[in-house]
Amino acid sequence: MKHILLIPLLLCIFKISQGQDSTIVKADSMTFEAQRERVNHLLDERSRRFGEYDESLQKKTGVFGLFKTKKDMQKSIDILRQVVLNDNNIFIETRKLLDLKDAQSERYQRLAAEYDNQVSAYMKTITKLQNENDKLREELKSMENTDRGSGIMLYISIIVIIGLIIALIYQYNRHKPKKVTE
């Protein structure tokens, strides 16, 4: 009976702790997604700028379009510099993304260990309660057996007393002085 009441209590506690963790998970997921979007945006920007760099390499504004001018080369160098700076930002943001992922992994491992400890504690409590329940059942059986033994002894005692009363009455009638009325 106690176990029936204990199970809903344990489930309720588990759901409450799970609800708190789901809020944290949602916040972490949103942070992770936002960081991932930043990295994807930087990658898209890099692709766009690299396309501009490729176009600037092909562009020749010199005499009759046969030669590159100093201005064309400087523009290519500036675009390449922007690509390199963007790559540095991609590395920084990717590192942040990996750090977030590592932090999530560590938190999940910590939560798993915590849940494992809670489940172990619940199992120990259930085992303890089951042992206590078994002990109480044994005591109840022992008391029932003692009561049966006492009942049997009571019946035997009553039968012996009735037998002794009958034996006394019989002895009394046998030894009773007889009246002589003649």
Side-chain angles (χ1 to χ4, degrees), residues 113-152:
E114 187 177 313
Y115 287 147
D116 188 40
N117 289 338
Q118 287 178 351
V119 168
S120 296
Y122 292 148
M123 289 173 57
K124 286 178 185 177
T125 302
I126 289 171
T127 303
K128 181 180 174 183
L129 291 173
Q130 285 175 339
N131 291 338
E132 185 68 26
N133 193 17
D134 291 342
K135 181 180 169 185
L136 291 173
R137 285 184 185 183
E138 289 298 321
E139 285 181 21
L140 183 61
K141 282 182 184 179
S142 174
M143 288 179 169
E144 286 176 357
N145 289 338
T146 303
D147 287 345
R148 285 186 197 147
S150 297
I152 292 171

Side-chain angles (χ1 to χ4, degrees), residues 160-170:
V160 168
I161 290 173
I162 292 173
L164 287 174
I165 291 173
I166 293 172
L168 281 172
I169 292 172
Y170 177 73

Side-chain angles (χ1 to χ4, degrees), residues 102-114:
D102 290 343
Q104 280 182 340
S105 295
E106 289 174 8
R107 191 175 58 70
Y108 288 142
Q109 288 175 351
R110 189 176 58 253
L111 285 174
E114 187 177 313

Side-chain angles (χ1 to χ4, degrees), residues 35-66:
Q35 187 65 29
R36 195 175 68 77
E37 286 296 321
R38 274 189 232 127
V39 171
N40 286 338
H41 175 72
L42 287 172
L43 288 171
D44 291 340
E45 189 176 328
R46 182 192 190 282
S47 295
R48 184 183 57 79
R49 286 192 180 172
F50 197 77
E52 289 175 9
Y53 173 71
D54 196 33
E55 285 179 22
S56 73
L57 287 179
Q58 302 300 324
K59 200 176 210 183
K60 297 177 184 176
T61 58
V63 179
F64 305 113
L66 298 174

Side-chain angles (χ1 to χ4, degrees), residues 63-132:
V63 179
F64 305 113
L66 298 174
F67 301 103
K68 285 184 91 111
T69 63
K70 185 175 178 181
K71 185 178 177 185
D72 292 338
M73 291 172 48
Q74 186 61 45
K75 185 175 180 183
S76 294
I77 291 170
D78 289 342
I79 292 172
L80 187 60
R81 184 174 174 271
Q82 289 175 350
V83 169
V84 169
L85 290 174
N86 194 28
D87 284 349
N88 288 340
N89 287 337
I90 289 172
F91 290 137
I92 291 169
E93 296 299 322
T94 303
R95 171 53 59 198
K96 288 179 185 176
L97 187 65
L98 291 174
D99 289 343
L100 280 172
K101 188 174 180 180
D102 290 343
Q104 280 182 340
S105 295
E106 289 174 8
R107 191 175 58 70
Y108 288 142
Q109 288 175 351
R110 189 176 58 253
L111 285 174
E114 187 177 313
Y115 287 147
D116 188 40
N117 289 338
Q118 287 178 351
V119 168
S120 296
Y122 292 148
M123 289 173 57
K124 286 178 185 177
T125 302
I126 289 171
T127 303
K128 181 180 174 183
L129 291 173
Q130 285 175 339
N131 291 338
E132 185 68 26

